[in-house]
Amino acid sequence: MTVLTGGKLKLIQAALRLITQSRSLSSLGLRELAREAGLNPNTFYRHFRNLDEFGLQVLGYIAEDMKAGVRELRRMAESSEQASHDTVAFVYHYFLTNPAATTVAVRELHGPSALLRKALESQLEASAREMAEDIIDRQLVSAVAPETIHEISRMTIRYILFRSMDYIDKPGQREVIQQETERFINRQFRGAMLDDMSEEDMATLLRSCS
Amino acid sequence: MTVLTGGKLKLIQAALRLITQSRSLSSLGLRELAREAGLNPNTFYRHFRNLDEFGLQVLGYIAEDMKAGVRELRRMAESSEQASHDTVAFVYHYFLTNPAATTVAVRELHGPSALLRKALESQLEASAREMAEDIIDRQLVSAVAPETIHEISRMTIRYILFRSMDYIDKPGQREVIQQETERFINRQFRGAMLDDMSEEDMATLLRSCS
DNA sequence: TCGTTGTGTATACATGTGTATACCGCCAAT
DNA sequence: ATTGGCGGTATACACATGTATACACAACGA
Protein backbone atom coordinates (compact mmCIF):
# COMPACT_ATOMS: atom_id res chain seq x y z
CA MET A 1 0.00 0.00 0.00
CA THR A 2 3.01 2.26 0.34
CA VAL A 3 2.52 5.04 -2.18
CA LEU A 4 4.53 8.03 -1.06
CA THR A 5 6.90 8.92 1.73
CA GLY A 6 7.33 11.93 4.04
CA GLY A 7 4.88 10.91 6.74
CA LYS A 8 6.27 13.41 9.19
CA LEU A 9 5.58 16.29 6.86
CA LYS A 10 2.17 14.88 6.08
CA LEU A 11 1.27 14.87 9.75
CA ILE A 12 2.39 18.43 10.29
CA GLN A 13 0.54 19.67 7.24
CA ALA A 14 -2.53 17.76 8.36
CA ALA A 15 -2.33 19.63 11.64
CA LEU A 16 -2.13 22.99 9.88
CA ARG A 17 -5.09 22.03 7.72
CA LEU A 18 -7.17 21.04 10.73
CA ILE A 19 -6.25 24.16 12.63
CA THR A 20 -7.41 26.46 9.86
CA GLN A 21 -10.69 24.61 9.86
CA SER A 22 -11.17 26.01 13.34
CA ARG A 23 -9.46 23.72 15.78
CA SER A 24 -6.71 24.42 18.27
CA LEU A 25 -3.27 22.86 18.10
CA SER A 26 -3.38 21.56 21.64
CA SER A 27 -6.75 19.94 21.07
CA LEU A 28 -5.71 17.81 18.13
CA GLY A 29 -5.82 14.07 18.55
CA LEU A 30 -3.28 11.56 17.37
CA ARG A 31 -5.80 9.50 15.48
CA GLU A 32 -7.46 12.59 14.06
CA LEU A 33 -4.11 13.70 12.68
CA ALA A 34 -3.35 10.32 11.17
CA ARG A 35 -6.78 10.15 9.59
CA GLU A 36 -6.39 13.58 8.03
CA ALA A 37 -2.91 12.68 6.84
CA GLY A 38 -4.13 9.39 5.38
CA LEU A 39 -1.83 7.37 7.61
CA ASN A 40 -2.06 4.69 10.20
CA PRO A 41 -2.43 6.03 13.75
CA ASN A 42 0.72 4.33 14.89
CA THR A 43 2.84 5.97 12.24
CA PHE A 44 2.65 8.99 14.51
CA TYR A 45 4.96 7.27 16.98
CA ARG A 46 7.59 6.77 14.33
CA HIS A 47 8.15 10.52 14.30
CA PHE A 48 6.99 11.94 17.63
CA ARG A 49 7.18 10.73 21.18
CA ASN A 50 3.83 12.25 22.14
CA LEU A 51 1.46 15.09 21.30
CA ASP A 52 3.41 17.72 23.22
CA GLU A 53 6.52 17.06 21.23
CA PHE A 54 4.41 17.18 18.09
CA GLY A 55 3.11 20.60 19.05
CA LEU A 56 6.60 21.92 19.50
CA GLN A 57 7.72 20.57 16.16
CA VAL A 58 4.75 22.20 14.45
CA LEU A 59 5.73 25.43 16.11
CA GLY A 60 9.26 25.01 14.87
CA TYR A 61 8.02 24.39 11.36
CA ILE A 62 5.99 27.56 11.54
CA ALA A 63 8.81 29.57 13.05
CA GLU A 64 10.94 28.76 10.01
CA ASP A 65 8.28 30.19 7.73
CA MET A 66 7.87 33.29 9.84
CA LYS A 67 11.59 33.96 10.05
CA ALA A 68 11.82 33.80 6.30
CA GLY A 69 8.99 36.31 6.10
CA VAL A 70 10.63 38.67 8.52
CA ARG A 71 13.90 38.49 6.66
CA GLU A 72 12.21 39.42 3.42
CA LEU A 73 10.57 42.27 5.22
CA ARG A 74 13.91 43.73 6.20
CA ARG A 75 14.59 44.51 2.56
CA MET A 76 12.05 47.30 2.50
CA ALA A 77 11.17 50.73 3.79
CA GLU A 78 12.81 54.03 2.83
CA SER A 79 11.14 57.08 4.29
CA SER A 80 9.50 56.81 7.70
CA GLU A 81 5.94 57.33 6.51
CA GLN A 82 6.29 55.11 3.50
CA ALA A 83 8.05 52.51 5.59
CA SER A 84 5.12 51.96 7.88
CA HIS A 85 2.69 51.82 5.00
CA ASP A 86 4.62 49.32 2.93
CA THR A 87 5.67 47.23 5.86
CA VAL A 88 2.14 46.90 7.16
CA ALA A 89 0.88 45.95 3.73
CA PHE A 90 3.61 43.38 3.36
CA VAL A 91 3.06 41.83 6.77
CA TYR A 92 -0.66 41.45 6.30
CA HIS A 93 -0.14 40.02 2.89
CA TYR A 94 2.22 37.52 4.40
CA PHE A 95 -0.26 36.50 7.07
CA LEU A 96 -2.90 36.17 4.42
CA THR A 97 -0.84 33.66 2.49
CA ASN A 98 0.02 31.70 5.65
CA PRO A 99 -3.31 31.48 7.41
CA ALA A 100 -2.55 28.23 9.19
CA ALA A 101 0.66 29.45 10.74
CA THR A 102 -0.99 32.70 11.74
CA THR A 103 -3.94 30.99 13.32
CA VAL A 104 -1.89 28.60 15.37
CA ALA A 105 0.35 31.40 16.55
CA VAL A 106 -2.56 33.53 17.73
CA ARG A 107 -4.41 30.62 19.30
CA GLU A 108 -1.49 29.20 21.23
CA LEU A 109 0.02 32.50 22.31
CA HIS A 110 -2.69 32.62 24.97
CA GLY A 111 -3.59 28.96 24.82
CA PRO A 112 -3.69 26.43 27.61
CA SER A 113 -0.23 24.94 27.10
CA ALA A 114 2.42 26.83 29.03
CA LEU A 115 5.10 25.16 26.94
CA LEU A 116 3.76 26.43 23.64
CA ARG A 117 3.04 29.86 25.10
CA LYS A 118 6.63 30.25 26.17
CA ALA A 119 7.98 29.07 22.85
CA LEU A 120 5.79 31.49 20.95
CA GLU A 121 6.57 34.38 23.22
CA SER A 122 10.28 34.09 22.69
CA GLN A 123 9.67 33.82 18.97
CA LEU A 124 7.67 37.05 19.02
CA GLU A 125 10.26 38.68 21.20
CA ALA A 126 12.90 37.87 18.61
CA SER A 127 10.82 39.33 15.80
CA ALA A 128 10.18 42.48 17.80
CA ARG A 129 13.86 42.87 18.51
CA GLU A 130 14.65 42.49 14.84
CA MET A 131 12.07 45.09 13.93
CA ALA A 132 13.34 47.52 16.54
CA GLU A 133 16.95 47.17 15.51
CA ASP A 134 15.98 47.67 11.94
CA ILE A 135 14.24 50.91 12.81
CA ILE A 136 17.18 52.09 14.87
CA ASP A 137 19.77 51.19 12.25
CA ARG A 138 17.92 53.00 9.52
CA GLN A 139 17.29 55.94 11.84
CA LEU A 140 13.65 55.99 10.83
CA VAL A 141 12.52 57.63 14.03
CA SER A 142 15.69 59.02 15.47
CA ALA A 143 13.82 61.27 17.89
CA VAL A 144 12.75 58.31 20.05
CA ALA A 145 14.94 56.51 22.57
CA PRO A 146 16.07 53.01 21.56
CA GLU A 147 14.46 51.40 24.59
CA THR A 148 11.18 53.03 23.63
CA ILE A 149 11.50 51.76 20.09
CA HIS A 150 11.87 48.26 21.41
CA GLU A 151 8.82 48.68 23.56
CA ILE A 152 6.72 49.97 20.71
CA SER A 153 7.96 47.22 18.45
CA ARG A 154 6.78 44.59 20.91
CA MET A 155 3.37 46.21 21.09
CA THR A 156 3.12 46.54 17.36
CA ILE A 157 4.06 42.95 16.62
CA ARG A 158 1.35 41.73 18.95
CA TYR A 159 -1.18 44.17 17.62
CA ILE A 160 -0.63 43.13 14.04
CA LEU A 161 -0.67 39.46 14.89
CA PHE A 162 -4.06 39.72 16.54
CA ARG A 163 -5.55 41.90 13.88
CA SER A 164 -4.33 39.48 11.25
CA MET A 165 -7.02 37.03 12.34
CA ASP A 166 -9.71 39.51 11.37
CA TYR A 167 -7.71 40.40 8.30
CA ILE A 168 -7.77 36.78 7.18
CA ASP A 169 -11.40 35.94 7.62
CA LYS A 170 -13.07 39.29 7.09
CA PRO A 171 -12.06 40.24 3.56
CA GLY A 172 -14.37 43.24 3.55
CA GLN A 173 -12.45 44.89 6.34
CA ARG A 174 -8.92 44.44 5.07
CA GLU A 175 -8.56 47.99 3.85
CA VAL A 176 -9.78 49.38 7.16
CA ILE A 177 -7.61 47.09 9.26
CA GLN A 178 -4.56 48.10 7.31
CA GLN A 179 -5.29 51.80 7.75
CA GLU A 180 -6.00 51.40 11.43
CA THR A 181 -2.75 49.58 11.86
CA GLU A 182 -0.83 52.36 10.18
CA ARG A 183 -2.50 54.92 12.41
CA PHE A 184 -1.69 52.75 15.41
CA ILE A 185 1.99 52.73 14.58
CA ASN A 186 2.25 56.38 13.68
CA ARG A 187 0.43 57.50 16.80
CA GLN A 188 2.57 55.28 18.93
CA PHE A 189 5.82 56.74 17.61
CA ARG A 190 4.63 60.31 17.43
CA GLY A 191 3.19 60.06 20.89
CA ALA A 192 6.50 58.71 22.08
CA MET A 193 8.25 61.83 20.80
CA LEU A 194 6.20 63.77 23.31
CA ASP A 195 6.80 61.32 26.15
CA ASP A 196 8.50 63.76 28.49
CA MET A 197 6.10 66.61 27.95
CA SER A 198 3.87 67.67 30.81
CA GLU A 199 0.15 68.25 30.51
CA GLU A 200 0.60 72.01 30.34
CA ASP A 201 3.23 71.79 27.65
CA MET A 202 0.84 69.75 25.60
CA ALA A 203 -1.86 72.35 26.06
CA THR A 204 0.30 75.23 24.88
CA LEU A 205 1.64 73.14 22.04
CA LEU A 206 -1.87 72.44 20.81
CA ARG A 207 -2.79 76.08 20.98
CA SER A 208 0.20 77.06 18.92
CA CYS A 209 -0.62 74.46 16.33
CA SER A 210 -4.19 75.37 15.59
CA MET B 1 -27.35 11.24 48.31
CA THR B 2 -28.83 14.67 47.58
CA VAL B 3 -26.86 17.10 49.70
CA LEU B 4 -27.15 20.55 48.17
CA THR B 5 -28.84 22.19 45.20
CA GLY B 6 -27.80 24.69 42.52
CA GLY B 7 -26.30 22.22 40.07
CA LYS B 8 -26.32 24.71 37.24
CA LEU B 9 -24.19 27.16 39.17
CA LYS B 10 -21.95 24.34 40.31
CA LEU B 11 -21.27 23.34 36.72
CA ILE B 12 -20.45 26.87 35.63
CA GLN B 13 -18.14 27.41 38.55
CA ALA B 14 -16.51 24.08 37.86
CA ALA B 15 -15.83 25.28 34.34
CA LEU B 16 -14.22 28.49 35.59
CA ARG B 17 -12.10 26.49 37.99
CA LEU B 18 -10.93 24.14 35.27
CA ILE B 19 -10.20 26.99 32.90
CA THR B 20 -7.91 28.75 35.36
CA GLN B 21 -6.02 25.50 35.75
CA SER B 22 -5.02 25.97 32.13
CA ARG B 23 -7.75 24.53 29.98
CA SER B 24 -9.83 26.16 27.29
CA LEU B 25 -13.58 26.60 27.52
CA SER B 26 -14.29 24.93 24.21
CA SER B 27 -12.19 21.92 25.15
CA LEU B 28 -14.06 21.07 28.32
CA GLY B 29 -15.88 17.78 28.42
CA LEU B 30 -19.30 17.11 29.84
CA ARG B 31 -18.11 14.36 32.14
CA GLU B 32 -15.07 16.36 33.18
CA LEU B 33 -17.35 19.20 34.22
CA ALA B 34 -19.67 16.95 36.17
CA ARG B 35 -16.75 15.28 37.89
CA GLU B 36 -15.29 18.62 38.95
CA ALA B 37 -18.72 19.78 40.11
CA GLY B 38 -19.28 16.58 42.06
CA LEU B 39 -22.35 15.70 40.04
CA ASN B 40 -23.59 12.93 37.84
CA PRO B 41 -22.71 13.39 34.16
CA ASN B 42 -26.33 13.39 33.14
CA THR B 43 -27.23 16.25 35.43
CA PHE B 44 -25.61 18.38 32.76
CA TYR B 45 -28.53 17.73 30.44
CA ARG B 46 -30.98 19.04 33.00
CA HIS B 47 -29.55 22.51 32.48
CA PHE B 48 -27.95 22.63 29.05
CA ARG B 49 -28.82 21.18 25.71
CA ASN B 50 -25.20 20.64 24.69
CA LEU B 51 -21.69 21.96 25.22
CA ASP B 52 -22.11 24.91 22.87
CA GLU B 53 -25.06 26.21 24.81
CA PHE B 54 -23.08 25.69 27.97
CA GLY B 55 -20.24 27.79 26.62
CA LEU B 56 -22.58 30.63 25.79
CA GLN B 57 -24.11 30.55 29.26
CA VAL B 58 -20.68 30.65 30.86
CA LEU B 59 -19.90 33.65 28.69
CA GLY B 60 -23.12 35.29 29.82
CA TYR B 61 -22.25 34.64 33.42
CA ILE B 62 -18.88 36.26 32.88
CA ALA B 63 -20.32 39.18 30.97
CA GLU B 64 -22.40 40.07 34.00
CA ASP B 65 -19.30 40.27 36.13
CA MET B 66 -17.46 42.34 33.59
CA LYS B 67 -20.28 44.79 33.13
CA ALA B 68 -20.40 45.36 36.85
CA GLY B 69 -16.67 46.04 36.79
CA VAL B 70 -16.97 48.52 33.95
CA ARG B 71 -19.78 50.33 35.68
CA GLU B 72 -17.70 50.75 38.80
CA LEU B 73 -14.91 52.01 36.63
CA ARG B 74 -17.06 54.82 35.29
CA ARG B 75 -17.10 56.38 38.73
CA MET B 76 -13.47 57.42 38.49
CA ALA B 77 -11.01 59.65 36.70
CA GLU B 78 -10.65 63.44 37.03
CA SER B 79 -7.72 64.95 35.17
CA SER B 80 -6.57 63.35 31.95
CA GLU B 81 -3.20 62.14 33.26
CA GLN B 82 -4.52 60.89 36.56
CA ALA B 83 -7.47 59.29 34.83
CA SER B 84 -5.34 56.98 32.77
CA HIS B 85 -3.20 56.04 35.75
CA ASP B 86 -6.05 55.23 38.09
CA THR B 87 -8.15 53.56 35.46
CA VAL B 88 -5.36 51.28 34.39
CA ALA B 89 -4.64 50.35 37.99
CA PHE B 90 -8.28 49.65 38.60
CA VAL B 91 -8.75 47.52 35.51
CA TYR B 92 -5.74 45.36 36.20
CA HIS B 93 -6.81 44.95 39.77
CA TYR B 94 -10.18 43.83 38.55
CA PHE B 95 -8.68 41.28 36.19
CA LEU B 96 -6.48 40.03 38.97
CA THR B 97 -9.47 39.29 41.17
CA ASN B 98 -11.35 37.62 38.31
CA PRO B 99 -8.69 35.43 36.74
CA ALA B 100 -11.11 32.81 35.45
CA ALA B 101 -13.28 35.28 33.59
CA THR B 102 -10.21 37.00 32.19
CA THR B 103 -8.64 33.79 31.02
CA VAL B 104 -11.71 32.51 29.26
CA ALA B 105 -12.20 35.86 27.56
CA VAL B 106 -8.67 35.96 26.20
CA ARG B 107 -8.68 32.31 25.19
CA GLU B 108 -11.97 32.32 23.37
CA LEU B 109 -11.61 35.71 21.72
CA HIS B 110 -9.34 34.01 19.19
CA GLY B 111 -10.44 30.48 19.96
CA PRO B 112 -11.79 27.85 17.62
CA SER B 113 -15.49 28.45 18.18
CA ALA B 114 -16.87 31.11 15.87
CA LEU B 115 -19.93 31.40 18.06
CA LEU B 116 -17.99 32.31 21.19
CA ARG B 117 -15.69 34.61 19.25
CA LYS B 118 -18.61 36.61 17.97
CA ALA B 119 -20.23 36.82 21.39
CA LEU B 120 -17.02 38.04 22.98
CA GLU B 121 -16.29 40.52 20.25
CA SER B 122 -19.60 42.27 20.66
CA GLN B 123 -19.05 42.29 24.40
CA LEU B 124 -15.67 43.98 23.94
CA GLU B 125 -17.13 46.37 21.42
CA ALA B 126 -19.71 47.44 23.97
CA SER B 127 -17.06 48.03 26.62
CA ALA B 128 -14.96 50.04 24.19
CA ARG B 129 -17.95 52.18 23.27
CA GLU B 130 -18.68 52.83 26.91
CA MET B 131 -15.08 53.82 27.53
CA ALA B 132 -15.01 56.12 24.54
CA GLU B 133 -18.25 57.86 25.43
CA ASP B 134 -17.02 58.34 28.93
CA ILE B 135 -13.89 60.03 27.66
CA ILE B 136 -15.88 62.20 25.33
CA ASP B 137 -18.46 63.20 27.92
CA ARG B 138 -15.84 64.20 30.43
CA GLN B 139 -13.86 66.00 27.73
CA LEU B 140 -10.68 64.31 28.88
CA VAL B 141 -8.99 64.62 25.51
CA SER B 142 -11.05 67.20 23.74
CA ALA B 143 -8.39 67.75 21.10
CA VAL B 144 -9.08 64.39 19.45
CA ALA B 145 -11.98 63.62 17.15
CA PRO B 146 -14.71 61.40 18.63
CA GLU B 147 -14.30 58.76 15.96
CA THR B 148 -10.60 58.56 16.80
CA ILE B 149 -11.40 58.22 20.47
CA HIS B 150 -13.58 55.26 19.68
CA GLU B 151 -10.83 53.70 17.63
CA ILE B 152 -8.25 54.14 20.36
CA SER B 153 -10.64 52.80 22.93
CA ARG B 154 -11.09 49.62 20.96
CA MET B 155 -7.35 49.18 20.68
CA THR B 156 -6.81 49.90 24.34
CA ILE B 157 -9.44 47.48 25.57
CA ARG B 158 -7.86 44.70 23.58
CA TYR B 159 -4.36 45.66 24.64
CA ILE B 160 -5.23 45.62 28.31
CA LEU B 161 -7.12 42.37 28.02
CA PHE B 162 -4.15 40.59 26.51
CA ARG B 163 -1.64 42.07 28.89
CA SER B 164 -3.83 41.04 31.78
CA MET B 165 -2.84 37.44 31.19
CA ASP B 166 0.78 38.29 31.88
CA TYR B 167 -0.34 40.54 34.70
CA ILE B 168 -2.11 37.64 36.36
CA ASP B 169 0.55 34.98 36.21
CA LYS B 170 3.73 37.02 36.29
CA PRO B 171 3.51 38.88 39.61
CA GLY B 172 7.03 40.22 39.26
CA GLN B 173 6.11 42.17 36.14
CA ARG B 174 2.91 43.80 37.32
CA GLU B 175 4.49 47.16 37.97
CA VAL B 176 6.11 47.19 34.55
CA ILE B 177 2.99 46.08 32.73
CA GLN B 178 0.99 48.81 34.37
CA GLN B 179 3.50 51.46 33.39
CA GLU B 180 3.76 50.19 29.84
CA THR B 181 0.01 50.29 29.55
CA GLU B 182 -0.11 53.89 30.71
CA ARG B 183 2.54 54.82 28.21
CA PHE B 184 0.61 52.97 25.53
CA ILE B 185 -2.52 54.97 26.20
CA ASN B 186 -0.81 58.31 26.52
CA ARG B 187 1.18 57.82 23.35
CA GLN B 188 -1.88 56.75 21.49
CA PHE B 189 -3.85 59.84 22.44
CA ARG B 190 -0.99 62.27 22.10
CA GLY B 191 -0.05 60.77 18.80
CA ALA B 192 -3.63 61.18 17.69
CA MET B 193 -3.44 64.91 18.39
CA LEU B 194 -0.80 65.11 15.70
CA ASP B 195 -2.69 62.91 13.25
CA ASP B 196 -3.01 65.49 10.51
CA MET B 197 0.53 66.75 10.70
CA SER B 198 2.86 66.03 7.81
CA GLU B 199 6.35 64.65 8.16
CA GLU B 200 7.91 68.09 7.72
CA ASP B 201 5.65 69.68 10.32
CA MET B 202 6.76 67.02 12.75
CA ALA B 203 10.39 67.76 12.03
CA THR B 204 10.05 71.48 12.65
CA LEU B 205 7.98 70.81 15.74
CA LEU B 206 10.68 68.61 17.19
CA ARG B 207 13.36 71.19 16.48
CA SER B 208 11.37 73.87 18.27
CA CYS B 209 10.84 71.63 21.26
CA SER B 210 14.41 70.71 22.01
C1' DT C 1 -54.73 13.09 47.79
C1' DC C 2 -52.81 12.57 43.35
C1' DG C 3 -50.31 14.00 39.48
C1' DT C 4 -46.89 16.94 37.61
C1' DT C 5 -42.70 19.16 37.24
C1' DG C 6 -37.86 19.97 38.36
C1' DT C 7 -33.57 18.13 39.72
C1' DG C 8 -30.47 14.51 40.51
C1' DT C 9 -28.99 9.44 39.86
C1' DA C 10 -27.79 4.64 37.79
C1' DT C 11 -26.96 1.80 34.06
C1' DA C 12 -25.89 0.95 29.42
C1' DC C 13 -24.05 1.46 24.68
C1' DA C 14 -21.61 2.81 20.68
C1' DT C 15 -17.75 5.31 19.44
C1' DG C 16 -13.21 7.51 19.93
C1' DT C 17 -8.90 7.78 22.21
C1' DG C 18 -3.82 6.79 23.46
C1' DT C 19 -0.82 3.09 23.47
C1' DA C 20 1.45 -1.70 23.19
C1' DT C 21 2.92 -5.53 20.52
C1' DA C 22 3.85 -7.72 16.47
C1' DC C 23 4.47 -7.97 11.41
C1' DC C 24 6.28 -6.37 6.70
C1' DG C 25 8.90 -4.25 2.89
C1' DC C 26 12.50 -1.21 1.59
C1' DC C 27 17.04 0.59 1.39
C1' DA C 28 21.79 0.89 2.71
C1' DA C 29 26.03 -0.85 4.90
C1' DT C 30 28.63 -4.46 6.15
C1' DA D 1 24.07 -11.69 0.46
C1' DT D 2 22.80 -10.84 4.83
C1' DT D 3 21.62 -7.82 8.28
C1' DG D 4 19.60 -4.09 10.57
C1' DG D 5 17.17 -0.10 10.95
C1' DC D 6 13.48 2.95 9.27
C1' DG D 7 8.79 3.97 7.89
C1' DG D 8 4.51 1.98 7.51
C1' DT D 9 0.61 -1.30 8.84
C1' DA D 10 -2.74 -4.46 11.56
C1' DT D 11 -4.74 -5.88 15.58
C1' DA D 12 -5.86 -5.43 20.27
C1' DC D 13 -6.79 -3.38 24.91
C1' DA D 14 -8.20 -0.45 28.52
C1' DC D 15 -10.32 3.58 29.23
C1' DA D 16 -13.02 8.13 28.40
C1' DT D 17 -16.49 10.32 26.00
C1' DG D 18 -21.42 11.89 24.57
C1' DT D 19 -25.88 10.31 24.82
C1' DA D 20 -30.27 7.51 25.68
C1' DT D 21 -33.42 5.34 28.74
C1' DA D 22 -35.26 4.52 33.00
C1' DC D 23 -35.62 5.37 38.04
C1' DA D 24 -35.95 8.34 42.56
C1' DC D 25 -37.46 11.90 45.27
C1' DA D 26 -38.85 16.41 46.71
C1' DA D 27 -41.97 20.45 46.12
C1' DC D 28 -46.31 21.98 44.90
C1' DG D 29 -50.92 23.04 42.84
C1' DA D 30 -55.32 20.71 41.88
XYZ file of all heavy atoms in Angstrom, chain A residues 6-7 31 39-40 42-43 46-47, chain D residues 6-14:
256
model
N 7.430 10.617 3.412
C 7.326 11.931 4.038
C 6.189 12.014 5.017
O 5.474 13.014 5.076
N 6.001 10.956 5.799
C 4.882 10.912 6.744
C 4.931 12.021 7.769
O 3.905 12.584 8.156
N -5.094 10.239 16.515
C -5.805 9.499 15.478
C -6.398 10.444 14.449
O -6.408 10.165 13.245
C -6.908 8.662 16.124
C -6.381 7.457 16.849
C -7.513 6.702 17.501
N -7.610 5.322 17.048
C -7.185 4.284 17.749
N -6.658 4.462 18.928
N -7.295 3.063 17.280
N -2.826 8.307 7.090
C -1.829 7.369 7.608
C -2.413 6.522 8.730
O -3.475 6.815 9.264
C -0.615 8.138 8.150
C 0.220 8.885 7.117
C 1.262 9.728 7.804
C 0.863 7.901 6.159
N -1.678 5.510 9.072
C -2.063 4.685 10.201
C -1.753 5.420 11.500
O -0.710 6.062 11.613
C -1.296 3.369 10.150
C -1.771 2.403 11.199
O -1.409 2.537 12.367
N -2.578 1.448 10.800
N -0.562 4.618 14.238
C 0.715 4.333 14.888
C 1.913 4.932 14.182
O 2.988 5.038 14.758
C 0.896 2.822 15.016
C 0.186 2.304 16.238
O 0.417 2.792 17.333
N -0.702 1.351 16.051
N 1.736 5.320 12.949
C 2.839 5.967 12.243
C 3.293 7.204 13.001
O 4.467 7.577 12.963
C 2.389 6.359 10.831
O 1.896 5.201 10.167
C 3.527 6.940 10.052
N 6.311 6.867 15.022
C 7.594 6.767 14.326
C 8.310 8.107 14.334
O 9.526 8.174 14.189
C 7.374 6.315 12.883
C 6.770 4.950 12.728
C 7.748 3.874 13.139
N 7.067 2.579 13.233
C 7.506 1.598 13.974
N 8.611 1.741 14.689
N 6.844 0.452 14.024
N 7.554 9.197 14.474
C 8.152 10.523 14.301
C 8.103 11.375 15.565
O 8.933 12.266 15.735
C 7.427 11.259 13.179
C 7.377 10.517 11.900
N 8.474 10.369 11.099
C 6.380 9.837 11.292
C 8.146 9.648 10.030
N 6.875 9.312 10.135
P 16.909 3.821 12.972
O 17.894 4.872 13.312
O 16.051 3.211 14.021
O 15.966 4.380 11.828
C 16.449 4.423 10.481
C 15.272 4.418 9.527
O 14.881 3.044 9.236
C 14.025 5.106 10.088
O 13.546 6.014 9.113
C 13.049 3.949 10.340
C 13.478 2.946 9.274
N 13.152 1.529 9.585
C 12.570 0.724 8.603
O 12.349 1.213 7.493
N 12.286 -0.566 8.889
C 12.556 -1.063 10.104
N 12.258 -2.342 10.339
C 13.144 -0.256 11.125
C 13.418 1.033 10.834
P 12.439 7.104 9.489
O 12.784 8.388 8.879
O 12.237 6.984 10.947
O 11.131 6.550 8.757
C 11.115 6.517 7.339
C 9.919 5.746 6.870
O 10.020 4.375 7.348
C 8.589 6.283 7.395
O 7.696 6.406 6.306
C 8.124 5.240 8.406
C 8.785 3.969 7.885
N 9.064 2.986 8.924
C 9.623 3.200 10.167
N 9.757 2.107 10.873
C 9.250 1.104 10.043
C 9.125 -0.288 10.264
O 9.458 -0.939 11.260
N 8.557 -0.937 9.158
C 8.163 -0.311 7.998
N 7.634 -1.087 7.051
N 8.273 1.005 7.785
C 8.824 1.638 8.842
P 6.233 7.032 6.555
O 5.828 7.747 5.323
O 6.244 7.730 7.846
O 5.298 5.740 6.683
C 5.073 4.942 5.529
C 4.441 3.627 5.934
O 5.311 2.942 6.856
C 3.109 3.754 6.675
O 2.014 3.503 5.786
C 3.163 2.654 7.732
C 4.505 1.978 7.513
N 5.107 1.622 8.794
C 5.746 2.442 9.701
N 6.164 1.817 10.758
C 5.764 0.498 10.558
C 5.933 -0.641 11.374
O 6.480 -0.721 12.487
N 5.381 -1.779 10.798
C 4.741 -1.806 9.570
N 4.264 -2.993 9.165
N 4.587 -0.746 8.794
C 5.116 0.360 9.342
P 0.548 3.443 6.352
O -0.333 3.606 5.180
O 0.449 4.345 7.507
O 0.380 1.952 6.887
C 0.607 0.857 5.998
C 0.308 -0.444 6.707
O 1.267 -0.641 7.784
C -1.070 -0.521 7.350
O -1.821 -1.556 6.743
C -0.814 -0.798 8.826
C 0.615 -1.303 8.841
N 1.336 -0.951 10.077
C 1.577 -1.910 11.009
O 1.216 -3.069 10.882
N 2.255 -1.478 12.123
C 2.709 -0.200 12.381
O 3.304 0.075 13.419
C 2.419 0.764 11.362
C 2.858 2.179 11.523
C 1.753 0.344 10.261
P -3.357 -1.734 7.064
O -3.985 -2.317 5.854
O -3.878 -0.466 7.631
O -3.342 -2.826 8.230
C -2.535 -3.975 8.125
C -2.852 -4.939 9.261
O -1.981 -4.645 10.385
C -4.282 -4.856 9.793
O -4.787 -6.173 9.950
C -4.149 -4.114 11.127
C -2.735 -4.457 11.565
N -2.060 -3.395 12.328
C -1.972 -2.074 11.993
N -1.293 -1.352 12.849
C -0.898 -2.262 13.821
C -0.136 -2.125 14.999
N 0.373 -0.968 15.412
N 0.080 -3.229 15.746
C -0.436 -4.394 15.327
N -1.160 -4.644 14.225
C -1.354 -3.525 13.510
P -6.282 -6.439 10.459
O -6.715 -7.710 9.834
O -7.085 -5.219 10.277
O -6.088 -6.698 12.018
C -5.017 -7.536 12.446
C -4.902 -7.537 13.966
O -4.144 -6.377 14.406
C -6.232 -7.493 14.730
O -6.223 -8.521 15.702
C -6.239 -6.105 15.343
C -4.743 -5.884 15.576
N -4.326 -4.476 15.752
C -3.470 -4.157 16.775
O -3.036 -4.973 17.567
N -3.127 -2.829 16.853
C -3.548 -1.804 16.016
O -3.176 -0.664 16.181
C -4.443 -2.214 14.966
C -4.974 -1.186 14.003
C -4.788 -3.506 14.879
P -7.526 -8.857 16.586
O -7.565 -10.328 16.728
O -8.685 -8.109 16.072
O -7.111 -8.247 17.997
C -5.824 -8.516 18.533
C -5.633 -7.692 19.790
O -5.227 -6.355 19.412
C -6.898 -7.541 20.643
O -6.608 -7.963 21.958
C -7.217 -6.047 20.575
C -5.857 -5.433 20.274
N -5.895 -4.140 19.592
C -6.595 -3.820 18.460
N -6.435 -2.571 18.067
C -5.571 -2.037 19.012
C -5.016 -0.762 19.163
N -5.248 0.253 18.333
N -4.186 -0.563 20.218
C -3.950 -1.581 21.048
N -4.413 -2.826 21.013
C -5.227 -2.990 19.950
P -7.784 -8.131 23.052
O -7.546 -9.437 23.697
O -9.087 -7.808 22.436
O -7.450 -7.008 24.131
C -6.089 -6.763 24.481
C -6.015 -5.524 25.356
O -5.860 -4.356 24.524
C -7.264 -5.308 26.195
O -6.893 -5.000 27.518
C -7.970 -4.147 25.501
C -6.789 -3.377 24.913
N -7.130 -2.579 23.696
C -6.638 -1.274 23.566
O -5.917 -0.808 24.459
N -6.952 -0.553 22.464
C -7.727 -1.092 21.520
N -8.009 -0.352 20.454
C -8.249 -2.410 21.634
C -7.920 -3.117 22.732
P -7.868 -5.299 28.762
O -7.308 -6.416 29.562
O -9.254 -5.367 28.243
O -7.695 -3.965 29.599
C -6.448 -3.268 29.586
C -6.706 -1.786 29.725
O -7.022 -1.215 28.424
C -7.891 -1.435 30.642
O -7.523 -0.376 31.489
C -9.006 -1.063 29.657
C -8.202 -0.446 28.524
N -8.853 -0.474 27.211
C -9.624 -1.478 26.694
N -10.082 -1.225 25.481
C -9.580 0.027 25.187
C -9.702 0.863 24.055
N -10.391 0.530 22.966
N -9.076 2.048 24.095
C -8.384 2.378 25.181
N -8.190 1.684 26.312
C -8.820 0.508 26.245
